[in-house]
Amino acid sequence: MTLPGFRISGMRAVGAAVLAAGTLTAGLPTMASADPGDYTTKVIVKNRTGEVMVLTHSQVTDGEWIQYPPETIASNGIGRMSTASSEDEGGTGGTVTYETDYGDVVIYWNDPDTSDKNDFKCDAPDELTCSTIGSPNGQHPILNVDIFD
């Protein structure tokens, strides 16, 4: 079966018009909003103790993991993890718990998508010192956690 020449030309013209319309529409500016992953938080844990820290709990409270926390952090080692927003205009946050011979070390972070400041905390047993340094503002903070005995 063959189609008349004008019918094929017409089909090509329609296809070209649809393609051109799609290309033009894709180039139009849109309202600015956060895309998934616009909010990220990197967490760097420096274990400055003589103990191996063992992960017992991890949870993303807002968003998703983009780098899972390590199962262990060696004595005088470094552990890295990261979370990101997973929805339009979403923030990100999480918590991890590492077990030591002295008890649990709990690290918490929250990078909201609002004008609220970022929140970072570290709770450790009395025998350990835990300090956090992170940016109080911004969409891409890096949280540094130092744990000493």
Side-chain angles (χ1 to χ4, degrees):
M1 175 175 154
T2 60
L3 296 174
F6 70 90
R7 193 176 249 175
I8 292 172
S9 297
M11 290 169 66
R12 284 186 186 151
V14 169
V18 168
L19 182 61
T23 302
L24 290 175
T25 304
L28 293 176
T30 58
M31 179 190 264
S33 65
D35 290 329
D38 275 357
Y39 286 81
T40 60
T41 301
K42 294 180 182 177
V43 180
I44 301 168
V45 180
K46 297 174 185 164
N47 178 8
R48 300 177 190 271
T49 72
E51 302 200 17
V52 174
M53 297 173 50
V54 179
L55 182 68
T56 59
H57 173 79
S58 65
Q59 178 182 5
V60 174
T61 55
D62 192 8
E64 61 190 6
W65 290 112
I66 55 176
Q67 182 178 8
Y68 288 94
E71 293 295 319
T72 60
I73 302 175
S75 171
N76 295 305
I78 296 175
R80 291 178 173 82
M81 61 206 78
S82 187
T83 59
S85 58
S86 60
E87 60 184 54
D88 285 349
E89 299 181 17
T92 187
T95 183
V96 293
T97 303
Y98 282 93
E99 182 180 53
T100 71
D101 286 344
Y102 300 114
D104 290 343
V105 175
V106 180
I107 302 166
Y108 165 84
W109 63 97
N110 185 34
D111 178 14
D113 68 335
T114 63
S115 60
D116 294 341
K117 292 186 176 193
N118 298 331
D119 187 20
F120 309 120
K121 294 178 185 166
C122 181
D123 293 318
D126 291 339
E127 295 84 358
L128 301 175
T129 301
C130 190
S131 66
T132 61
I133 301 170
S135 170
N137 300 307
Q139 289 178 246
H140 306 288
I142 297 175
L143 169 59
N144 287 290
V145 180
D146 288 308
I147 302 168
F148 301 91
D149 52 5

